[in-house]
Amino acid sequence: MAQPSVRFAGGDAEWIHERESVGFVGTTDFGKVPFLITADALAELLNPDLPGIDAETALEVFFEFEADIHRIALREFVKRLGGEPPILLTSSDLDG
């Protein structure tokens, strides 16, 4: 079976205040690739009716849904042909 184009170790997320997003890193055969997922997208994962979440809750949601977020990030990485880092994941990317 072929190895995914980007792989995630897990547990490496951090809040990026300037971007109001959680940052995490994937690894490709060519090196590390930074990703961001917005607080709005994380709020939508938790509850689509939620207007927003704070940094602490965003990190908790990230770790709760980390496997799903990594799957979405892989899909978007492939769809965008890598793209300019960091690769930003928003609410619109959740639907797939």
Side-chain angles (χ1 to χ4, degrees), residues 32-45:
K32 295 189 181 300
V33 178
F35 288 83
L36 295 170
I37 184 165
T38 64
D40 289 340
L42 291 164
E44 188 171 317
L45 280 173

Side-chain angles (χ1 to χ4, degrees), residues 16-83:
I16 309 296
H17 178 73
E18 308 81 47
R19 301 294 296 263
E20 292 188 25
S21 301
V22 171
F24 59 104
V25 176
T27 303
T28 70
D29 291 341
F30 303 104
K32 295 189 181 300
V33 178
F35 288 83
L36 295 170
I37 184 165
T38 64
D40 289 340
L42 291 164
E44 188 171 317
L45 280 173
L46 184 61
N47 177 349
D49 297 325
L50 199 61
I53 55 177
D54 61 31
E56 184 178 329
T57 305
L59 282 167
E60 289 173 7
V61 172
F62 179 88
F63 290 121
E64 180 178 342
F65 292 94
E66 189 168 16
D68 295 325
I69 293 165
H70 288 168
R71 181 184 46 76
I72 293 164
L74 173 60
R75 181 190 69 217
E76 290 302 314
F77 180 81
V78 170
K79 186 166 43 171
R80 298 175 194 189
L81 300 173

